[in-house]
Amino acid sequence: LGQIPCLLFATLLFGRELSNDSLQSSNGIDGNGDRDESNRQSTILLGFVSICLFSGLAQVLQSSYKVSIERDWIVAMSENDGQLLESNNVLLNQIHLICIICGPSIAILLHSHSDGWSLVCVSLIKIISLILMNALIKRTYSMIPSLQNENEQQSSTSVDENCLDDNSASSNMNNASSISSTWGCVEDIRVYIFQKELWAGVALAFLYCNVMTFGGLLMAYLNSCGLTWEVIGLCQGASNFAGLLGTCIFALLQRFLNDVRATALCGICWQFMLLSVSMFGVLMKNPWFIIVGVIPSRIGLWIYAIASTQLFQQTVPEKERGKVGGVQTSLNSLFQTIPLILGMIYSDVDDYWKVLVTSYLSNGTAVLMVLFGVYLPCRKSNLSYSTVD
């Protein structure tokens, strides 16, 4: 619910700037044109900063919601049924990708029928979607007893912790002072580091450093290579469909391999293999080789994303899900800023290949982490158990 006022305020600010532009263009410029123009630029800057701040706050709240759903609610809804957990993960990501595909289409349709107010309309659609989403969440919570039982267990645990003997008051004060002297985030990081599937999460964070997706940097690079924006937009839509196909292939691989770690390794190796084709296109400055590699690589990306999430869902204790999910989201965001920083350093389009090479190396590092940190240790432990038997 906290996202709604943030998006609403950002929408109102943007609408106000649009109305001011329309008013000034219709009235023209009077004798105090220079001072009015200076005030207008200051207002635009203040409005832009406010929009960025409130949109960023809405994104943070969205991330917390995503952690709660993916790391906790899905596991509670599955009730320790691995097959049901897998189906829920696939369905959740399929709905997410369908919305990603439909969202830009709606925005383009609105933009073609409105003069400058398309962003306001999209923001209003987003607010309506958030209201509907919260209503569905409340409905889901009331329908699933396991979510309510989980909340009751946490409440009873907190009550038991508060009912302490008076004889231990002094020791509790000392413990409280020692705990307050340490940062809570340090404790969360410590919990994350000692997770069994640590390397799967770190590898996922390294994949967020990849810019060989249809984002701003790659799209600008492809445009500089001679591709039109229409072709780039079609390729972007095709990459989203490839991600949707990847969710279906994940379910098929699980039926064939019956091993989440092997499925994760297959997904990330497939992505790295096709990004190697894209890397060849970058070195040859051939945009079509880049596209041929990037679009099907999304299949492997989504296979690994679902597999790594399911590994954490199956191994993280219930009390640590929020901490581990929060650290993972922060780690993903941290690695996501690295290409942006490199983009500011190498701002010339002719230097974008350096950013692309860096992202390719990060993908290669992620493959090694999954191979030596996730798959092979489990494989060796299974072989040792079979030898003992």
Side-chain angles (χ1 to χ4, degrees), residues 87-292:
S87 301
N88 288 335
N89 284 327
V90 171
L91 181 60
L92 184 68
N93 284 277
Q94 286 175 345
I95 295 173
H96 174 68
L97 283 168
I98 290 173
C99 293
I100 289 178
I101 294 171
C102 295
S105 302
I106 296 174
I108 293 174
L109 183 63
L110 291 173
H111 181 71
S112 61
H113 291 84
S114 61
D115 298 331
W117 289 89
S118 57
L119 182 58
V120 176
C121 297
V122 171
S123 300
L124 292 176
I125 293 175
K126 174 70 172 178
I127 293 172
I128 295 173
S129 301
L130 288 173
I131 295 174
L132 180 61
M133 181 186 69
N134 283 278
L136 293 174
I137 288 175
K138 185 178 180 180
R139 178 65 175 170
T140 303
Y141 180 81
S142 63
M143 292 176 59
I144 300 177
S146 58
L147 295 175
Q148 302 175 20
N149 295 334
E150 181 181 346
N151 190 24
E152 291 175 358
Q153 291 176 1
Q154 293 177 355
S155 300
S156 62
T157 302
S158 62
V159 170
D160 293 337
E161 290 177 353
N162 290 331
C163 298
L164 301 175
D165 295 333
D166 295 336
N167 296 329
S168 61
S170 59
S171 61
N172 290 336
M173 291 295 293
N174 294 330
N175 292 333
S177 61
S178 61
I179 293 174
S180 61
S181 61
T182 59
W183 291 353
C185 61
V186 175
E187 175 65 20
D188 294 346
I189 294 174
R190 187 191 67 82
V191 171
Y192 179 83
I193 290 175
F194 284 99
Q195 293 301 314
K196 181 181 178 181
E197 304 297 340
L198 167 68
W199 292 111
V202 177
L204 180 63
F206 267 78
L207 294 183
Y208 274 81
C209 192
N210 179 32
V211 296
M212 281 193 278
T213 61
F214 283 96
L217 290 176
L218 183 63
M219 292 171 69
Y221 183 78
L222 292 175
N223 183 254
S224 68
C225 293
L227 292 183
T228 61
W229 291 112
E230 290 78 9
V231 174
I232 295 173
L234 291 175
C235 293
Q236 185 181 23
S239 69
N240 291 328
F241 276 107
L244 187 61
L245 179 61
T247 60
C248 301
I249 295 178
F250 169 81
L252 295 177
L253 284 176
Q254 277 295 97
R255 292 180 183 178
F256 179 73
L257 300 174
N258 197 24
D259 185 359
V260 183
R261 293 173 180 84
T263 301
L265 182 62
C266 291
I268 199 169
C269 287
W270 172 265
Q271 182 192 17
F272 183 71
M273 179 181 66
L274 288 167
L275 288 182
S276 300
V277 177
S278 299
M279 198 66 242
F280 178 77
V282 171
L283 298 178
M284 298 297 295
K285 292 186 177 180
N286 189 326
W288 293 109
F289 269 103
I290 300 175
I291 292 174
V292 167

